[in-house]
């Protein structure tokens, strides 16, 4: 008996220093012994606590109580029960801890019911917290994977799928757990060569871009090893659809190829420089700079090829392109070629990114021939302007001399004509009885010719005044001038039947005296050439051609042959015979008046069908 007590005491000492708390429960007397570690864990001690079934029940968390007490009862009754039970306990200070409980019935009565039970209890609160954190992380990871826009699966070294996210399930069309990945994904009978499984399961991550034969789309595939808790290795495969990006890359490469071909083939010089040094020149630029190849230019400073007179301005423009990010305006400058010769070019620069770095691309065009032509043209223009100025001065002087001559001649001729007319009249009156009829006829002809000559002189003076008169512009009512003129002619020939139509309020800007002469000439012309009509018709009005206002005087007179229309405005040119009075000056005067008002005049007509004269006037202010 002494040896048994000693052995029991040794076991008690061993259990007290162990990590777990232990207990010994006398089921018949419902008395339990708890080790010091157990008591320290829950905060209760034997001195003030009775450890029995009722008390132990209160220690178990309410949500776990039925499960734990049921497991204890199963053991007491000899039924199968879990060897280890994890549950929560409520400590004396209210803390809730997780424990791992192990129990064993060590004595039974004759009926097989347990009479004594022993067990251990281990605080696993930290482990449970770690497991919960791990579970939460796994949940979050699973949620992230399921929400992942790409495709993902995990497979064993035998290529059997262990997990696949929802996107992958939708792509495959079913939950392919346990299936070979190469079979369900690509319809192959063997592992996909691009997966490089030997490298992945050896611990490397493999990333490749593949074109799926299944759907014809591009994917970015990343295969990574996953080290499992049991020491095995699985493969995690992530697929991201990059079809749009690949198409863009392909399109970009094709575009870059076309652009490079275009740049290389363009006749304009194209250069790219970074930090002031050439990094690209096309064939045209090599030729422009007089180099044998691009190697003679690449890497050299841009300004070394710019004429010294232009370097300051070009340096500022390059800096502005870098700083402002804007295209530089078209600029003319001189470049110095490899052999030292100088060319004129026009250039434009723009900011670009070249090989990942900010750069400036410039397009240059040789304008040397044009500049030389411009210089020659400038010299010719200067010479021509000098000649024109000289000729204009000569012509102006000639016109003035002509006008002065015409004016002087007209005045100088008046006195002899007056004398001829006066003396002819005296002879006809005072010596009429002494002159034979033939002489009297001659005197009548002399007087008639002198009157015609006087009219011609008057018309010459009128033309001279039209050219010499200073314009005094103001607003003129052409309609009123036309009506006044028609009234004047009607009063001089009251026996004529003439129907008139005058558009009202036709206002123009011009010289009152000259415009009055214009109206008298045009309306007088119409009045004269409708004289043989039973009922004459004269119409004044306006019409528009686009934004241009056109004035007209129309009649139903004898008209004229349109092929001679240009002669109408030549002084002393007449298209009709002596049956109509006139010296051929009226329309010439009208033309000069209209030209002085910045307009033009033209006539339209047909023989026997009347005539129409159209004119325009410049608009001022």
């Amino acid at each position: 008996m002494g040896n048994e007590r000693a052995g029991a005491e040794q076991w008690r000492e061993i259990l007290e220093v162990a990590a777990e708390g232990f207990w010994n429960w006398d089921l018949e007397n419902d008395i339990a012994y708890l080790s010091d570690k157990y008591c320290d864990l829950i905060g209760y001690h034997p001195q003030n606590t009775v450890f029995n079934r009722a008390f132990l029940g209160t220690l178990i968390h309410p949500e776990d109580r039925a499960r734990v007490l049921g497991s204890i009862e199963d053991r007491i009754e000899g039924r199968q029960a879990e060897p280890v039970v994890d549950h929560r306990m409520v400590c004396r200070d209210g803390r809730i801890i997780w424990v791992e409980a192990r129990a064993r019935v060590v004595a039974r009565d004759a009926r097989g019911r347990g009479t004594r039970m022993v067990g251990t209890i281990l605080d696993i609160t930290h482990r449970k917290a770690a497991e919960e954190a791990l579970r939460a992380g796994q949940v979050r990871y699973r949620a992230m994977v399921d929400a992942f826009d790409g495709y993902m699966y995990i497979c064993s070294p035998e290529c059997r799928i262990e997990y696949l996210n929802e996107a992958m399930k939708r792509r495959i069309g079913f939950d392919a757990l346990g299936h070979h990945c190469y079979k369900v994904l690509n319809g192959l009978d063997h592992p996909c060569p691009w997966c490089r499984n030997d490298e992945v399961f050896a611990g490397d991550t493999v990333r490749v871009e593949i074109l799926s034969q299944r759907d014809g789309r591009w994917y970015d595939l990343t295969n990574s090893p996953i080290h499992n808790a049991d020491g095995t290795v699985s493969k995690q495969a992530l697929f991201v659809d990059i079809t749009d990006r690949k198409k863009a890359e392909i399109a970009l490469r094709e575009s870059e190829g076309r652009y490079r071909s275009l740049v290389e083939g363009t006749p304009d010089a194209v250069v790219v420089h970074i930090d002031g040094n050439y990094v690209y020149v096309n064939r045209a630029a090599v030729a422009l700079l007089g180099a044998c190849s691009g190697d003679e230019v690449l890497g050299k400073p841009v300004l070394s090829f710019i004429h010294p007179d232009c370097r300051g301005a070009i340096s500022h423009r390059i800096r502005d392109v870098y700083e402002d990010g804007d295209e530089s305006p078209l600029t003319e400058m001189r470049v110095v070629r490899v052999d030292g010769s100088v060319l004129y070019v026009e250039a434009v620069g723009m900011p670009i990114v070249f090989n990942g770095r900010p750069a400036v691309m410039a397009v240059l065009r040789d304008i040397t021939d044009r500049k030389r032509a411009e210089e020659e043209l400038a010299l010719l223009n200067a010479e021509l302007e000098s000649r024109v100025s000289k000729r204009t001065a000569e012509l102006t002087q000639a016109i003035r001399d002509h006008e002065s001559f015409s004016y002087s001649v007209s005045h100088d001729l008046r006195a002899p004509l007056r004398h001829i007319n006066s003396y002819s009249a005296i002879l006809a009156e005072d010596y009429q009885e002494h002159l034979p009829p033939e002489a009297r006829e001659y005197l009548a002809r002399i007087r008639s010719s002198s009157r015609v000559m006087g009219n011609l002189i008057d018309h010459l003076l009128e033309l001279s005044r039209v050219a010499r008169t200073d314009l005094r512009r103001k607003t003129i009512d052409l309609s009123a001038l036309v009506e006044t003129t028609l009234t004047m002619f009607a009063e001089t020939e009251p026996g004529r039947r003439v129907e008139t139509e005058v558009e009202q309020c036709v206002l123009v800007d011009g010289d009152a005296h000259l415009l009055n002469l214009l109206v008298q000439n045009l309306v007088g012309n119409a009045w004269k050439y409708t004289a043989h009509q039973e009922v004459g018709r004269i119409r004044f009005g306006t019409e528009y051609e686009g934004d241009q206002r056109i004035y007209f005087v129309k009649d139903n007179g004898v008209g004229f042959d349109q092929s001679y229309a240009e002669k109408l405005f030549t002084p002393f040119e007449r298209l009709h015979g002596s049956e109509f009075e006139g010296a051929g000056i009226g329309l010439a005067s009208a033309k000069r008046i209209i030209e002085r008002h910045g307009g033009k005049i033209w006539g339209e007509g047909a023989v026997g069908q009347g005539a129409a004269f159209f004119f325009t006037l410049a608009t001022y202010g």
Side-chain angles (χ1 to χ4, degrees), residues 288-497:
L288 178 74
L289 297 176
C292 296
S293 68
D295 293 338
E296 294 185 60
V297 180
L298 295 176
K300 293 184 178 179
V302 174
L303 294 181
S304 66
F305 291 91
I306 306 298
H307 192 278
D309 294 345
C310 306
R311 286 175 185 168
I314 299 305
S315 178
H316 284 300
R317 289 192 181 276
I318 293 174
R319 183 187 61 200
D320 291 343
V321 173
Y322 274 113
E323 292 180 353
D324 300 336
D326 295 328
E327 179 178 314
S328 69
L330 190 66
T331 304
E332 291 187 1
M333 63 180 181
R334 285 173 287 172
V335 298
V336 181
R337 308 177 80 209
V338 172
D339 61 4
S341 59
V342 177
L343 295 178
Y344 281 92
V345 301
E346 58 182 12
V348 62
M350 61 202 72
I352 65 169
V353 176
F354 189 84
N355 291 336
R357 297 180 62 189
V360 174
M361 181 180 74
V363 180
L364 300 87
R365 177 173 293 175
D366 187 352
I367 59 170
T368 305
D369 292 340
R370 191 188 80 191
K371 292 295 288 185
R372 289 173 180 167
E374 289 175 354
E375 292 173 357
E376 293 176 0
L377 183 61
L379 292 175
L380 289 174
N381 285 338
E383 183 179 353
L384 181 60
E385 287 178 4
S386 176
R387 290 181 180 179
V388 169
S389 298
K390 182 179 179 182
R391 181 58 180 159
T392 301
E394 293 174 350
L395 183 59
T396 301
Q397 186 60 44
I399 292 173
R400 288 173 181 167
D401 292 344
H402 175 71
E403 292 174 351
S404 177
F405 173 77
S406 298
Y407 188 78
S408 298
V409 167
S410 299
H411 276 75
D412 292 344
L413 287 176
R414 279 182 174 276
L417 281 175
R418 281 195 302 270
H419 291 159
I420 292 172
N421 194 43
S422 297
Y423 286 118
S424 297
I426 291 172
L427 284 173
E429 293 175 2
D430 294 348
Y431 299 94
Q432 183 175 4
E433 297 178 356
H434 304 286
L435 294 174
E438 186 178 0
R440 289 197 296 271
E441 177 66 22
Y442 289 155
L443 284 175
R445 290 184 179 182
I446 290 172
R447 294 184 66 187
S448 176
S449 296
S450 67
R451 285 195 299 270
V452 171
M453 188 65 176
N455 288 333
L456 288 175
I457 291 171
D458 290 340
H459 288 307
L460 284 173
L461 288 173
E462 181 182 325
L463 277 176
S464 177
R465 283 194 296 268
V466 167
R468 293 160 61 92
T469 301
D470 292 332
L471 294 183
R472 297 177 180 177
R473 294 184 178 276
K474 63 179 182 178
T475 301
I476 306 297
D477 187 347
L478 276 185
S479 302
L481 291 181
V482 171
E483 289 180 333
T484 300
T485 303
L486 286 169
T487 300
M488 179 186 68
F489 284 120
E491 290 174 349
T492 60
E493 295 184 75
R496 283 189 58 183
R497 293 179 59 193

Side-chain angles (χ1 to χ4, degrees), residues 260-268 282-283:
R260 182 172 290 273
S261 298
L262 179 64
V263 169
E264 286 297 330
T266 183
D268 291 330
N282 69 345
R283 288 192 294 267

Side-chain angles (χ1 to χ4, degrees), residues 27-28 72-80 104-117:
L27 296 173
E28 287 183 326
I72 293 174
E73 190 62 29
D74 288 339
R75 291 183 181 279
I76 293 173
E77 295 296 332
R79 293 189 292 269
Q80 185 68 29
R104 181 180 180 185
V105 176
V106 295
R108 294 183 182 275
D109 59 15
R111 294 175 300 171
R113 179 177 175 79
T115 59
R116 182 177 296 278
M117 180 180 291

Side-chain angles (χ1 to χ4, degrees), residues 41-115:
L41 185 63
I42 61 176
Y44 293 96
H45 293 279
Q47 293 83 353
N48 51 19
T49 305
V50 176
F51 299 127
N52 54 20
R53 177 186 291 269
F55 176 74
L56 293 177
T58 62
L59 293 176
I60 302 171
H61 192 279
E63 295 178 5
D64 299 338
R65 190 173 296 153
R67 175 172 60 86
V68 175
L69 292 179
S71 177
I72 293 174
E73 190 62 29
D74 288 339
R75 291 183 181 279
I76 293 173
E77 295 296 332
R79 293 189 292 269
Q80 185 68 29
E82 297 181 28
V84 180
V85 177
D86 293 347
H87 65 89
R88 288 165 290 179
M89 295 186 69
V90 181
C91 300
R92 184 177 183 179
D93 59 8
R95 289 180 302 110
I96 297 175
I97 63 173
W98 276 93
V99 296
E100 178 186 89
R102 298 173 182 270
R104 181 180 180 185
V105 176
V106 295
R108 294 183 182 275
D109 59 15
R111 294 175 300 171
R113 179 177 175 79
T115 59

Side-chain angles (χ1 to χ4, degrees), residues 153 191-198 200 206 208 221 223 235 239:
Y153 72 89
C192 308
W194 54 81
C195 287
R196 292 154 58 182
N197 288 338
D198 52 343
V200 176
V206 175
V208 294
L221 169 61
N223 288 332
K235 180 184 76 173
F239 291 82

